[in-house]
Amino acid sequence: MRRFGALLAAGLLAGTLAACGGTETQEMESAQAFAMDTVMVLTAGGGETGTALQTAQEELYRLDRELSRTREDSAVSRLNSAPAGTAEDVGEELYGLIAQALTFSAATDGAFDITLAPVSSAWGFTEDAYRVPGQEELDALLTHVGADHVHLEGGTSVSLDQGTQIDLGAIAKGYASDVVASIYQENGVAHGTVYLGGNTWVCGGNPEGDPWRIGVQDPARAEEAEAYTGILRMTDGFAVTSGGYQRYFEEDGVTYHHIIDPATGRPAESGLTSVTVVADGTVGNGTMCDALSTALFVMGEERALDFWRSGAYYFDLILVTEDGRLLVTDGIADQFQPDETAGYAYEVVS
């Protein structure tokens, strides 16, 4: 099962992260796009608003063409179809994004991995043809998984080992949010929001002078449009959520979600149902938040919090656990208001 927001701005309240008010005034303009299998909604006010929105739309469609694994003419598909070991010129942008992905993979001990493409396809998540692969099939595919199968050849060339393919789905929308943030800044946008599925970026506070209000979807009530674990208030920042409830299927009474553990080739069993990574609005943090939200979901509560405490990257966390707890790191505790009706045991973590 795959969830999409409605093709109206109001429909985004059903998404993982959505504005809860104050986004529509006479000062604000909006635009929409459907790219990367996601309804994307942009709002902006102040500065060269029209130029910013139009340029952002064009860039989102361009990135979809370049980074999508399912488009035969994309740069990613050309790399995946190149003969094994052959250096493919992918251009500076894709080369740089792959390099970042490999850095995140190393930092998270492989919990983030862009080479899971064949495994994801085996489960049918890429093609929407769901099935449960056998362990022998997964074991064979896992021999081609790992950052060591991706080789940066220098300049703008990349090569892949035999049987290895990449999928940037766990980082592409974060990168896209960084691109849009740069466009907004270049055009002097004073107030803005960018919703790319579970990826949110806000700037400048709302036109009334208050922080933007971002609802964090309750995984246990994902079918309800405005069911939140709580409200996060931010003036400038990124918030990116990964959760097993976002894409899944059921077979023989068992639910299988799309976030694959690179160590097993199976949907991660980490004890978490949702991970939201929050960081300031510095361009580049969107990419980081996207990658880490997936990696930390795979890691599970203890390892995720240890990673946060390590200071390797600067971010905060909202974790929802299978046993009914809502954990918020102390850096954003004063910005987060839990929804008491959601029924979670609320904890501030330091």
Side-chain angles (χ1 to χ4, degrees), residues 263-344:
T264 66
R266 304 182 65 83
E269 298 180 2
S270 65
L272 297 174
T273 59
S274 174
V275 172
T276 300
V277 180
V278 181
D280 68 42
T282 303
V283 173
N285 279 348
T287 305
M288 174 195 74
C289 290
D290 203 7
L292 293 186
S293 68
T294 299
L296 300 183
F297 185 98
V298 171
M299 288 183 180
E301 176 187 339
E302 184 175 347
R303 289 177 62 200
L305 291 176
D306 285 346
F307 187 82
W308 167 69
R309 293 186 181 106
S310 75
Y313 297 93
Y314 295 102
F315 63 92
D316 278 284
L317 285 173
I318 301 169
L319 305 179
V320 184
T321 70
E322 289 181 353
D323 61 3
R325 290 175 297 127
L326 174 61
L327 313 178
V328 177
T329 54
D330 56 8
I332 55 170
D334 60 347
Q335 300 169 239
F336 185 79
Q337 179 62 50
D339 184 344
E340 296 181 357
T341 67
Y344 291 98

Side-chain angles (χ1 to χ4, degrees), residues 192 202-206 209-212 233-237 335:
V202 297
C203 70
N206 68 29
D210 299 319
W212 296 104
R233 292 173 173 81
M234 286 202 305
T235 300
D236 296 276
Q335 300 169 239

Side-chain angles (χ1 to χ4, degrees), residues 4-9 12 30-43 53 56-57 59-64 172-177 180 184 193-199:
F4 296 114
L7 291 176
L8 296 173
L12 287 182
S30 64
Q32 297 183 18
F34 185 81
M36 303 179 185
D37 282 343
T38 301
V39 177
M40 300 179 172
V41 177
L42 317 175
T43 70
L53 291 174
Q57 278 183 308
E59 279 295 282
L60 291 172
Y61 287 126
R62 181 189 67 81
L63 290 172
D64 186 39
K173 287 194 288 292
Y175 175 71
S177 68
V180 176
Y184 274 30
T193 62
V194 175
Y195 305 106
L196 313 183
N199 294 249

